[in-house]
Amino acid sequence: FGRYPTEEPDSNLYILWGHNPDQSDFPLKFFMKRNLKKGAKLVVIDPKRIPMADQANIYLRIRPGTDGALALALMNVIIAEDLYDHDFVDRHTAGFDKLVPHVKPYTPEWAEELTWIAADDIRELARLFANTKGASIFQGTCTQDQTANGTQNSRAFAVLQTITGNINVPGGWVTSPPPRFGHPGYSVEGDPLGSDQYPLFVDLWGRKAPYGVVTMVPESIPEKLKAFMVIGGNPLISMPDSNAFKSAFEKLDLLVVHDLFMTETARAAHYVLPACSHLEKWGIAYTYNVCHCLPYLMLRKKCIEPLHASWSEWRFLTELANRLGLNDRFPWKTEEEFVSFMIAPSGLSFDYLLNAKPEGDFYAEKNYTNPDGFFRTPSKKIEIYSDALEQVGFDPLPSYLEPERGPVRGDKTFLEKYPLILSIGNRNLYFTHSQHHQVEALQKLFPEPLAEIGPETAEKYGIEDGDPVLVETNRGQVKMKTRVDKRVAEGIVLAPHGWGGDANANLLTDVACREPIMGYPDQKSLQCRIRKA
């Protein structure tokens, strides 16, 4: 294995597109602060003026759910003004010739009407991005997926990086192979839930995933799903449309929860089984390669034996398999043996990570090259035109779809009843989803959830900072205190997720309102109303 560079190359341009490092990405914030002092440029695209926007060269206040429209307009300018990287496009892409006429209608003026961003600002960003080598779009992990245009948003960002030649260059997007693990579940018979309605979610180019589409769970109970096992999760809080999940779970023949805590989902279960913590079991820690391309993993070491009656997931599932006569599917006699099996394909052994490298090690080398035929697609190139999408009936080129219930597609009567745009899930420094809310020290730092609105919106509805308010959608309502903040765009309500009781933001979301290609829920561009409680 090659060594990882001790000094990371600096990005010359950071585009924070729905991404807030102050709340969710400390490593990025550290490198950005250092590199901005060296002359790197910064662009922030967000309906809220996040703290980093105060240091930005460009801040664009965008309407939630319209990111795809902005991306298409940027492509329009880059191609129309001949700013794209001809050599990279010619050598490493397929379908660029079809992209050229496709983006012609998507002018900055067209995007201005949809996004709330001035056409001249769109042109300025397009020119800055195209003329900067070593530029990166830092996409919010859920910000773009959880909209009506989620899949095409991600494709559009990838195309922007591609046509500007910012792939596998220092400071740009850099590919890295994901860690190879042993997968005991990949040989299970049958297709996962949702494979018929969302085929690309489970099968792309013959690469099959064992995971089902979670938004289809409520509608599949009890006809398809009669029993459900929740391991270390809290779907009655964390999944979209808590009302739908709660109603569906009540129809299950069996609901089992394996957890350290008596969560909202555990309280609804037939059986609650005590789980041990990560300090009482063996495991693997690694980066997901979603944001920072760090080909690194380490052994998560068992420190003590599980306390009291608590078990690890491995012991619970293995004992259950033995009682079901599935011993042949679970041949590992110890947890260490199982973790050894999981690690082996990575090239780093259990013994090596335990003794030689207890701090972890890199399983691959970051490589700033693009040899011909490098990319893992059928054409061995970056496929701007996607045959896979076309085969299942979707636009093979990046396209734009308005929010289903937003101000353009939404029914007039519905919009009159729910005139404000609702975005669920803005990150919080102190909590991770529904976790850590019971920690007293954190409760003191951030004791309650806050619905954020702009001052003009607050004045229109007779609300002052700190007032308790009711936020309501077609699915339910929540009660929170208000934070009136001039940094928030007017006409928008930002509601945090992960809180329980009558402050659970997923009481507002709708499991049936989802992205058409992958089935992701739209949680960033819904419609709501707000009033003083």
Side-chain angles (χ1 to χ4, degrees):
F1 291 91
R3 295 306 306 153
Y4 197 74
T6 55
E7 281 294 322
E8 278 293 273
D10 299 341
S11 281
N12 296 313
L13 172 62
Y14 298 86
I15 301 180
L16 298 181
W17 203 322
H19 190 50
N20 185 1
D22 284 281
Q23 297 294 336
S24 61
D25 198 342
F26 299 137
L28 176 59
K29 181 181 177 182
F30 170 80
F31 284 110
M32 284 182 62
K33 289 181 70 173
R34 185 194 68 180
N35 296 340
L36 291 176
K37 292 177 181 178
K38 297 180 179 179
K41 290 183 168 57
L42 170 63
V43 174
V44 173
I45 304 170
D46 204 296
K48 179 180 179 180
R49 188 182 178 94
I50 62 173
M52 291 297 297
D54 294 342
Q55 304 174 53
N57 301 84
I58 301 174
Y59 167 59
L60 303 179
R61 178 166 279 170
I62 191 169
R63 171 165 73 90
T66 64
D67 308 271
L70 174 59
L72 285 166
L74 294 173
M75 290 182 216
N76 172 287
V77 175
I78 290 168
I79 292 173
E81 298 186 4
D82 196 22
L83 301 175
Y84 64 93
D85 187 321
H86 286 251
D87 180 64
F88 189 88
V89 166
D90 291 343
R91 288 185 58 196
H92 299 296
T93 72
F96 180 77
D97 58 321
K98 297 182 176 68
L99 180 70
V100 173
H102 175 75
V103 299
K104 277 188 177 180
Y106 302 125
T107 63
E109 286 71 23
W110 166 83
E112 179 176 354
E113 293 185 17
L114 297 171
T115 62
W116 300 347
I117 298 172
D120 286 345
D121 291 341
I122 295 173
R123 288 190 174 89
E124 181 184 3
L125 173 56
R127 292 162 184 160
L128 175 63
F129 185 50
N131 288 312
T132 304
K133 272 291 180 279
S136 278
I137 295 171
F138 290 84
Q139 172 183 348
T141 305
C142 297
T143 313
Q144 313 301 339
D145 295 339
Q146 294 174 356
T147 71
N149 204 59
T151 303
Q152 293 288 21
N153 282 349
S154 294
R155 294 198 68 238
F157 296 161
V159 169
L160 282 169
Q161 289 283 154
T162 297
I163 65 175
T164 56
N166 279 302
I167 301 289
N168 285 346
V169 297
W173 279 14
V174 183
T175 58
S176 176
R180 299 184 301 277
F181 292 134
H183 289 289
Y186 274 14
S187 61
V188 174
E189 298 86 356
D191 293 321
L193 183 68
S195 57
D196 52 348
Q197 191 169 337
Y198 304 102
L200 292 183
F201 188 91
V202 299
D203 189 349
L204 176 63
W205 304 323
R207 301 175 198 161
K208 294 188 176 182
Y211 310 109
V213 179
V214 73
T215 49
M216 296 189 68
V217 167
E219 69 194 63
S220 304
I221 297 172
E223 285 75 18
K224 292 183 179 179
L225 299 175
K226 301 185 185 301
F228 211 84
M229 191 179 296
V230 177
I231 299 180
N234 191 10
L236 292 191
I237 295 293
S238 60
M239 290 295 109
D241 202 338
S242 295
N243 290 311
F245 268 84
K246 183 176 185 296
S247 176
F249 276 15
E250 290 171 351
K251 301 172 186 174
L252 288 167
D253 292 343
L254 177 65
L255 175 60
V256 178
V257 171
H258 183 248
D259 208 310
L260 284 77
F261 303 99
M262 187 59 73
T263 64
E264 288 81 359
T265 308
R267 287 196 288 269
H270 297 100
Y271 296 97
V272 180
L273 307 178
C276 67
S277 73
H278 67 282
L279 299 173
E280 301 161 84
K281 62 185 179 184
W282 292 97
I284 307 167
Y286 65 100
T287 62
Y288 296 123
N289 287 310
V290 172
C291 299
H292 301 309
C293 186
L294 196 66
Y296 171 90
L297 63 82
M298 66 183 296
L299 189 65
R300 184 180 286 137
K301 301 160 193 68
K302 181 179 180 179
C303 299
I304 60 172
E305 290 299 318
L307 297 175
H308 311 297
S310 65
W311 285 8
S312 69
E313 295 87 346
W314 172 83
R315 183 178 176 189
F316 163 48
L317 294 173
T318 299
E319 294 289 351
L320 180 61
N322 290 342
R323 283 158 178 77
L324 292 171
L326 298 172
N327 310 54
D328 60 319
R329 301 293 187 95
F330 290 78
W332 308 280
K333 304 304 180 186
T334 65
E335 197 167 61
E336 294 93 323
E337 187 180 328
F338 175 69
V339 173
S340 295
F341 160 79
M342 290 285 290
I343 292 176
S346 74
L348 304 177
S349 70
F350 184 97
D351 180 70
Y352 175 77
L353 291 172
L354 178 63
N355 297 305
K357 286 287 182 177
E359 74 279 15
D361 202 2
F362 299 97
Y363 60 82
E365 182 179 9
K366 185 178 285 190
N367 193 352
Y368 298 103
T369 61
N370 291 298
D372 291 335
F374 172 74
F375 298 97
R376 296 172 64 231
T377 66
S379 66
K380 305 301 182 185
K381 296 184 176 184
I382 298 174
E383 299 193 347
I384 295 173
Y385 187 98
S386 172
D387 291 324
L389 278 172
E390 187 175 41
Q391 288 166 11
V392 294
F394 293 102
D395 198 325
L397 292 162
S399 58
Y400 174 63
L401 181 64
E402 270 284 326
E404 181 179 334
R405 296 179 185 151
V408 175
R409 283 176 70 195
D411 176 78
K412 183 178 179 182
T413 304
F414 181 87
L415 294 170
E416 287 174 352
K417 187 175 182 180
Y418 302 108
L420 300 173
I421 297 172
L422 172 67
S423 182
I424 298 290
N426 45 308
R427 292 292 184 258
N428 182 284
L429 183 65
Y430 305 105
F431 309 111
T432 302
H433 309 304
S434 67
Q435 299 176 58
H436 315 312
H437 288 268
Q438 286 72 42
V439 180
E440 290 185 9
L442 299 180
Q443 288 176 345
K444 291 177 181 178
L445 292 168
F446 205 94
E448 55 195 336
L450 300 173
E452 298 179 84
I453 55 176
E456 292 178 19
T457 305
E459 183 179 3
K460 181 176 181 179
Y461 293 96
I463 297 168
E464 296 184 359
D465 188 58
D467 280 348
V469 293
L470 296 176
V471 182
E472 184 180 2
T473 69
N474 63 309
R475 292 299 295 158
Q477 71 175 24
V478 300
K479 184 178 180 181
M480 297 179 176
K481 279 194 175 179
T482 314
R483 172 179 284 166
V484 179
D485 190 343
K486 65 182 180 180
R487 289 178 173 271
V488 179
E490 302 299 342
I492 290 174
V493 178
L494 302 177
H497 72 307
W499 297 80
D502 61 2
N504 171 17
N506 272 320
L507 294 169
L508 303 174
T509 54
D510 190 342
V511 77
C513 189
R514 55 200 187 214
E515 191 261 4
I517 300 175
M518 294 292 186
Y520 295 131
D522 186 347
Q523 304 199 133
K524 306 303 181 189
S525 46
L526 298 169
Q527 296 293 129
C528 72
R529 61 187 179 190
I530 189 171
R531 57 188 169 91
K532 190 182 293 187

